[in-house]
Amino acid sequence: MAGQATVLEDGSRLSQLDQRLLGVERFLALISGLAVFGLMVLAVVSVGGRNAFNAPLPGYVDWIEQAMPLIAFLGISYVQRDGGHIRMDIVISRLQGRALWLFELISVILILVLMMALVWGSWSHFDRSFDLGAPLWSRDSSIDIGVPLWPGKLLVPIAFSVLCLRLSLQVWGYGRAFVLGLETPVSVPMNQDAAAQAAAEAEQFEGQD
Amino acid sequence: AATEWNASVWGKRRAFTEHVEKLAELVSEKTDGEFTINVSYGGLSKPKENLDGIEIGAFEMAQFCAGYHRDKNRAITVLELPFLGVNNLDEEVAVSHAVYDHPAVKDEMAQWNARIIMTSPMPQYNIVGTGEPRDQLADFDGMRVRATGGLGQAFEAVGGVPTSVPATEAYNAMESGVVDTVAFAQHAHLSFGTINDADWWTANLNPGTVNCPVVVNIDAYEALPAEHREVLNSSIDEAIDHYLANYGGLLEQWDSVLDEKGVQKVMIDDAVIEEFRTTAADPIREQWIADMSAQGLPGQDLYDLVQTTLKQQRGGN
Amino acid sequence: MESIEIGLWVTGGLLLLVVTGMRVAFAAALAGLVGLIWIFWAKFGYDPNRFGKALTVAVKTAGQVPHSKVASHTLSLIPTFILIGYLAYYAGLTRALFEAAKRWIAWVPGGLAVSTVFATAGFAAVSGASVATSAVFARIAIPEMLSAGYNKRFAAGVVAAGGTLASLIPPSAILVIYAIIVEQDVGKLLLAGFIPGAFSAVVYGMLIVGIAVVFKSVGPPVTGFTWKQRFAALPGAIPIVAVILIIICFVYNPFGDKAWGTPTEGGAIGAFIVFCFALFHGMRWAEFKSALLETAKLTAMIFSIIWGVLIYVRFLGFADLPGAFSDWITSLEMSPMLILICILLAYAVLGMFMDAIGMLLLTLPVVYPAVMALNGGEAVSAADSAFGMSGPMCAIWFGILVVKMAEFCLITPPIGLNCFVVAGVRPDLSVQDVFRGVTPFFIADGVTIALLVAFPGIVLYLPSLAG
Ligand code: NA
Ligand code: NA
């Protein structure tokens, strides 16, 4: 498990919250993975139905488009927890101590502001497709079989809100590290150099072949 | 003061966007460049979200098709009912604009902060495909066809499976086998390249067409200086005339395009078309009227409006 | 003109954010959002009373992008390709491939290294990600090469370079991303990757044999496998061959008229076959769950970059920067080929510091229209074009060139991710060792790229067969 090694834990309030949120994040990520698997099954059924029974799956394209938000967004906070979103660390890997925590703090605050704005924006995108007075509450539906689009659109602000919680914890974690001048703060991804990170990545493959 | 508008359309410049281009040209000309409209091909929004963009106020003008999202624009989907009986582009303009003037349509569009200024008239859709021509109703069974709105429902009524990738992906979809056939108007078969992959084209299936209005953001429209609004309004007929003339030219050359691409022109038996019509037209129309009425929309009224406008149009000529 | 100025300022700001270590997905989205606010406010003449309105419009415009862009049939290829790679790993396909290649080729000078390259090429046919490929082979192949008396740095370089093949040989997440950005046929692009990928592998192989012949101590031959052993190793490679054949048939069917289906379906069927093998190989819920979680993680990471960058691209659309850049490029008084080479060199420099997907997503919206304009436009015929190929063919050719550049950057210092991964797996090797070992492969890649530029037919032969 590459993730576990990079975020330290202890019995503090912050770390407890971190682990509780991690449980939610892992659950959402698992749903996302299962949705990928579902996509695969859907394609097998579609190809099979078409070729074996001349019975193509109605709304195949519509269903895939419905599944994509599940796949693309639900894991976003899980990745942020371990510091897995790609970045260039050529500058930041040279920093240490308070200077490093300050950089990280500013970075996560900016991301938090961005994501709060996007929760608003993606909620309004959902809201435009949702109408309590309409059949299936739908004011926007897919082309072929008319599946309501609002559930997929609603997933975006939900996933982004979970990410906002995660970012708030990281603001707390980095802020605490900066104020107290900590060396090994809990509940934030530790800044590893690229080689150590690669080692962690390769760890996944150990003993599995 | 100078007014700068953005118009969101998609694909590339083609017969289908000529009226928007012409409108932009006319308003700029008539105001000495004081009022300009930049036409953006896909840079500002995806086609399916053009109405959202209008509601947000991200751009001032946009084009969209009713069948892309029937729940967003239920009232105008009357114009996409199969076998409606529209015979040419002039009639298409007349019925579209009559429907756009109906209060129910205006109300629904106002929910999107949108006001329809003109239609993008298109001839009857016909399908292209590869291999043996599909000229019997039985051939439509299990056929995956890119056909939106009422057209999709019509093919569904005879066993087809509507599979609607975006227009810009229609060529890929056909070539890679996501769909077996694509229903488009002539200009789109040309512009999106489906004619290049086709072995045959149905010349007379004529099951109906798609309705794609051009809208403006109401706030932006009302904020226009009076003289600019006047210029915009007065240029619409000219823009449509230009569109019709341009499309007419395209239709005249169509047969030579088919020859050049080696596409077989398939004439379908009247009996087959009649069977298609009886299976698809009446049930779909009745269902549509019932659905609309259940949602508090004047379905019957809108349908009657189409028919009376058609009669008037024919009587007047 | 003003909007282009805003475009340039915001782009500068984005680079600053990226260099100072903000996660690329969020840096791009933030730059895009700020840019949109700026553009809309400028439209309101910077009226303080209307800032709130500009903010609202910008936030709602940006907020549409994630769902709007991600809910796409074509993009569904990416998670499928990622899943295949993880399942293939659990099915034990990697070791089986290497074993087969070893028994057949190890007897030539440098033969174990050549086996490694061919096995990575085979694994590339089920894996969409280069870094993972290098990590796997660093474990399997390096120990065997060392015990056969191979030079340590050389062995490390072979594995780091071999891993880069995974993004050229389909399935390839990065080729799908290219196809999405430039709105071209995914199937044809995937098909186009086959020959250049195999070609790169052959160039690597020849280079290895050359080095091993000249410097005898670097990679001695390994002999002693019987024909019986050789044939016994082949069945392990069958799933890979099956997956390759299926994906080909779903993209372009060499045996008949019509492809069997879409690339998406081909990918999914491939994943299903590999899934069955993994079950057969002993994969159970625990392993399956980790495969799913790893897939979810990589998918979420890639999609965050996609929608983040597309918010920035939406802003570019409002600022009309791509149009302006394209006009500028075509107005230059240089030969188109020279401009293209400059663009590729710029990618080489950029790629020293950036990750491949981020680099493509950030640059292509601006660079791609310029390259197409250089060739004579999207609809140009081969006869009228600058590079002697039609618009769609140029899009494919440029895509393969750019992806090869991005792969090249995985082994160049200072940020060559594959080299870090290999050094990370092997505690006895420093990053410098790996970079030194991989140096000959720069030359091989340089030669490959030059040949792909000079003879576009290598890239375009297969896609042109597909019509
Ligand atoms: Na690959
Ligand atoms: Na590099």
Side-chain angles (χ1 to χ4, degrees):
Chain A
M1 299 302 279
Q4 245 57 7
T6 59
V7 179
L8 300 179
E9 293 167 358
D10 64 14
S12 68
R13 180 80 182 276
L14 175 60
S15 187
Q16 281 173 354
L17 285 174
D18 163 55
Q19 287 162 58
R20 187 131 349 134
L21 187 57
L22 176 63
V24 175
E25 288 165 336
R26 205 194 299 267
F27 174 70
L28 292 177
L30 190 61
I31 294 180
S32 159
L34 283 169
V36 179
F37 190 72
L39 201 69
M40 185 190 92
V41 174
L42 191 70
V44 174
V45 170
S46 163
V47 174
R50 189 170 76 227
N51 293 329
F53 313 106
N54 189 31
L57 198 61
Y60 177 53
V61 173
D62 288 15
W63 286 118
I64 289 184
E65 290 180 359
Q66 288 295 297
M68 286 309 288
L70 275 174
I71 290 167
F73 298 112
L74 286 189
I76 187 172
S77 185
Y78 185 53
V79 178
Q80 177 66 20
R81 196 262 180 179
D82 296 344
H85 287 289
I86 282 187
R87 67 165 166 185
M88 244 183 84
D89 52 8
I90 194 162
V91 170
I92 215 157
S93 63
R94 276 153 219 266
L95 301 176
Q96 278 182 343
R98 282 207 159 95
L100 174 62
W101 306 137
L102 182 63
F103 256 73
E104 297 279 25
L105 181 63
I106 294 172
S107 200
V108 287
I109 288 176
L110 285 177
I111 300 177
L112 179 58
V113 171
L114 166 79
M115 291 320 297
M116 291 198 302
L118 288 180
V119 168
W120 168 19
S122 57
W123 173 267
S124 104
H125 192 51
F126 151 75
D127 198 29
R128 279 192 300 276
S129 68
F130 185 77
D131 182 351
L132 274 176
L136 300 173
W137 299 340
S138 171
R139 206 151 76 106
D140 191 5
S141 54
S142 68
I143 294 185
D144 292 324
I145 51 172
V147 192
L149 294 186
W150 63 262
K153 291 186 179 178
L154 182 58
L155 279 177
V156 184
I158 290 178
F160 285 4
S161 299
V162 176
L163 177 60
C164 284
L165 289 179
R166 168 56 60 196
L167 288 163
S168 306
L169 284 185
Q170 292 186 342
V171 169
W172 182 359
Y174 283 127
R176 189 169 152 270
F178 173 67
V179 172
L180 303 177
L182 301 176
E183 274 192 15
T184 53
V186 291
S187 86
V188 293
M190 295 296 286
N191 189 46
Q192 300 170 299
D193 61 14
Q197 199 164 343
E201 222 165 283
E203 199 85 338
Q204 301 162 32
F205 292 97
E206 193 158 28
Q208 287 166 337
D209 196 293
Chain B
T3 309
E4 232 184 277
W5 273 20
N6 284 320
S8 174
V9 302
W10 65 91
K12 51 189 175 189
R13 184 168 175 172
R14 58 198 187 281
F16 181 66
T17 57
E18 272 309 305
H19 53 338
V20 182
E21 293 280 359
K22 184 69 178 178
L23 192 62
E25 189 187 310
L26 286 171
V27 296
S28 170
E29 217 168 74
K30 292 181 186 173
T31 60
D32 289 324
E34 278 295 298
F35 181 11
T36 53
I37 301 173
N38 304 319
V39 185
S40 171
Y41 289 84
L44 311 182
S45 173
K46 284 218 320 195
K48 281 195 276 184
E49 266 99 33
N50 268 344
L51 256 186
D52 296 74
I54 288 289
E55 205 249 19
I56 293 169
F59 35 79
E60 291 79 8
M61 190 184 284
Q63 188 178 29
F64 65 88
C65 295
Y68 284 5
H69 33 53
R70 49 192 117 143
D71 291 356
K72 283 182 185 172
N73 43 238
R74 296 163 299 170
I76 58 170
T77 54
V78 66
L79 293 162
E80 297 194 337
L81 285 175
F83 298 105
L84 207 49
V86 177
N87 287 332
N88 56 45
L89 293 185
D90 288 319
E91 291 180 4
E92 183 65 31
V93 173
V95 294
S96 298
H97 286 187
V99 168
Y100 297 164
D101 279 338
H102 193 285
V105 173
K106 290 193 156 173
D107 281 354
E108 192 171 45
M109 281 298 114
Q111 292 174 20
W112 294 97
N113 207 0
R115 173 196 170 95
I116 302 181
I117 58 166
M118 59 181 172
T119 188
S120 317
M122 279 182 290
Q124 293 289 303
Y125 271 38
N126 274 288
I127 58 175
V128 297
T130 53
E132 283 300 300
R134 297 180 189 248
D135 53 6
Q136 301 295 322
L137 279 198
D139 296 337
F140 294 159
D141 192 33
M143 171 180 85
R144 284 158 308 143
V145 53
R146 194 244 175 227
T148 62
L151 284 176
Q153 291 173 315
F155 284 108
E156 213 178 339
V158 291
V161 179
T163 304
S164 298
V165 294
T168 45
E169 289 173 25
Y171 172 78
N172 287 342
M174 194 167 146
E175 185 163 278
S176 62
V178 177
V179 298
D180 302 309
T181 55
V182 174
F184 266 153
Q186 284 90 334
H187 81 275
H189 280 311
L190 269 179
S191 167
F192 295 112
T194 41
I195 201 71
N196 301 326
D197 200 31
D199 293 331
W200 48 269
W201 171 75
T202 59
N204 63 337
L205 190 60
N206 297 344
T209 188
V210 159
N211 194 266
C212 306
V214 176
V215 295
V216 294
N217 172 291
I218 290 178
D219 295 338
Y221 178 78
E222 284 173 355
L224 281 179
E227 69 272 20
H228 287 176
R229 198 179 324 153
E230 172 50 30
V231 165
L232 181 69
N233 291 339
S234 67
S235 302
I236 287 170
D237 284 345
E238 241 179 295
I240 288 272
D241 286 344
H242 169 78
Y243 178 105
L244 292 175
N246 180 65
Y247 215 115
L250 188 149
L251 291 181
E252 270 170 28
Q253 290 167 7
W254 183 247
D255 279 351
S256 61
V257 169
L258 292 179
D259 279 347
E260 183 193 315
K261 311 261 182 198
V263 176
Q264 186 192 344
K265 190 170 166 174
V266 178
M267 294 300 284
I268 294 176
D269 263 9
D270 287 347
V272 174
I273 296 177
E274 198 41 52
E275 200 189 336
F276 189 10
R277 188 202 310 271
T278 39
T279 320
D282 294 347
I284 291 176
R285 184 185 65 240
E286 274 152 30
Q287 185 65 46
W288 184 86
I289 291 172
D291 285 350
M292 291 300 131
S293 307
Q295 295 177 42
L297 283 171
Q300 186 67 49
D301 215 26
L302 285 164
Y303 180 74
D304 293 345
L305 177 61
V306 170
Q307 295 305 328
T308 50
T309 310
L310 271 181
K311 268 195 204 111
Q312 275 170 12
Q313 179 75 4
R314 284 171 194 163
N317 287 349
Chain C
M1 217 45 216
E2 202 201 352
S3 64
I4 289 168
E5 241 168 72
I6 298 176
L8 292 175
W9 275 109
V10 170
T11 304
L14 168 58
L15 290 181
L16 187 73
L17 286 177
V18 169
V19 168
T20 52
M22 192 167 184
R23 315 222 168 245
V24 174
F26 304 122
L30 185 63
L33 179 61
V34 170
L36 283 169
I37 297 171
W38 193 347
I39 285 265
F40 289 126
W41 200 31
K43 201 163 179 176
F44 296 153
Y46 299 108
D47 177 354
N49 297 323
R50 298 183 73 188
F51 178 77
K53 173 77 181 159
L55 178 74
T56 309
V57 175
V59 166
K60 289 184 175 178
T61 303
Q64 282 186 304
V65 173
H67 181 274
S68 161
K69 289 292 184 177
V70 158
S72 137
H73 172 248
T74 323
L75 274 179
S76 67
L77 265 171
I78 292 177
T80 316
F81 284 177
I82 292 172
L83 183 65
I84 287 195
Y86 282 107
L87 291 177
Y89 183 77
Y90 287 106
L93 289 182
T94 34
R95 187 169 290 280
L97 264 181
F98 179 65
E99 196 56 39
K102 186 178 84 180
R103 293 185 190 182
W104 283 84
I105 328 178
W107 56 273
V108 296
L112 259 187
V114 179
S115 318
T116 306
V117 166
F118 288 174
T120 51
F123 187 63
V126 286
S127 158
S130 295
V131 177
T133 309
S134 278
V136 169
F137 279 90
R139 279 185 189 286
I140 300 173
I142 292 183
E144 299 231 14
M145 284 193 266
L146 293 189
S147 62
Y150 271 56
N151 175 293
K152 200 167 69 172
R153 287 177 188 156
F154 180 65
V158 167
V159 170
T164 67
L165 296 172
S167 296
L168 220 45
I169 297 175
S172 156
I174 199 159
L175 272 175
V176 177
I177 290 171
Y178 175 85
I180 301 279
I181 305 176
V182 307
E183 297 185 337
Q184 289 293 327
D185 188 338
V186 184
K188 279 192 185 164
L189 265 162
L190 290 175
L191 205 57
F194 258 114
I195 296 184
F199 185 77
S200 296
V202 170
V203 173
Y204 284 169
M206 293 194 319
L207 178 82
I208 291 168
V209 175
I211 292 175
V213 166
V214 175
F215 304 100
K216 296 251 182 299
S217 65
V218 163
V222 179
T223 50
F225 291 108
T226 66
W227 285 101
K228 200 177 163 200
Q229 284 173 318
R230 284 179 183 168
F231 282 104
L234 286 183
I238 285 174
I240 298 269
V241 176
V243 171
I244 294 175
L245 274 180
I246 280 179
I247 291 181
I248 292 183
C249 287
F250 270 85
V251 173
Y252 149 71
N253 181 1
F255 310 115
D257 269 0
K258 270 285 179 198
W260 293 359
T262 66
T264 320
E265 290 167 344
I269 305 270
F272 183 70
I273 292 177
V274 176
F275 171 71
C276 295
F277 267 93
L279 277 184
F280 181 71
H281 194 77
M283 180 182 74
R284 291 297 172 260
W285 170 244
E287 292 90 21
F288 183 53
K289 188 177 157 192
S290 14
L292 291 184
L293 276 179
E294 293 304 328
T295 303
K297 251 165 111 166
L298 196 51
T299 305
M301 192 198 87
I302 291 177
F303 275 97
S304 300
I305 298 183
I306 290 176
W307 62 253
V309 172
L310 287 176
I311 290 179
Y312 167 73
V313 170
R314 177 62 52 87
F315 152 70
L316 287 184
F318 278 92
D320 198 28
L321 205 63
F325 183 73
S326 166
D327 290 348
W328 176 69
I329 286 277
T330 44
S331 73
L332 292 177
E333 303 213 339
M334 282 159 69
S335 90
M337 187 53 89
L338 199 59
I339 298 178
L340 180 77
I341 291 170
C342 290
I343 290 175
L344 292 179
L345 287 177
Y347 272 114
V349 174
L350 199 59
M352 290 168 95
F353 306 98
M354 276 198 75
D355 128 84
I357 292 176
M359 178 172 94
L360 293 197
L361 278 165
L362 280 178
T363 56
L364 281 177
V366 178
V367 173
Y368 172 78
V371 170
M372 292 303 279
L374 215 50
N375 187 44
E378 301 257 356
V380 75
S381 71
D384 301 331
S385 66
F387 300 128
M389 60 189 81
S390 67
M393 285 295 159
C394 180
I396 293 174
W397 179 56
F398 183 62
I400 298 298
L401 289 179
V402 163
V403 169
K404 182 70 196 171
M405 288 310 301
E407 292 304 285
F408 175 56
C409 297
L410 286 174
I411 54 171
T412 57
I415 316 275
L417 215 52
N418 274 12
C419 298
F420 284 122
V421 167
V422 173
V425 174
R426 303 283 312 181
D428 54 330
L429 280 162
S430 73
V431 176
Q432 283 71 22
D433 285 331
V434 186
F435 275 127
R436 236 178 277 170
V438 90
T439 313
F441 295 94
F442 295 171
I443 301 159
D445 274 352
V447 170
T448 306
I449 292 165
L451 288 174
L452 296 181
V453 171
F455 305 105
I458 303 172
V459 176
L460 299 179
Y461 174 68
L462 278 182
S464 68
L465 282 186

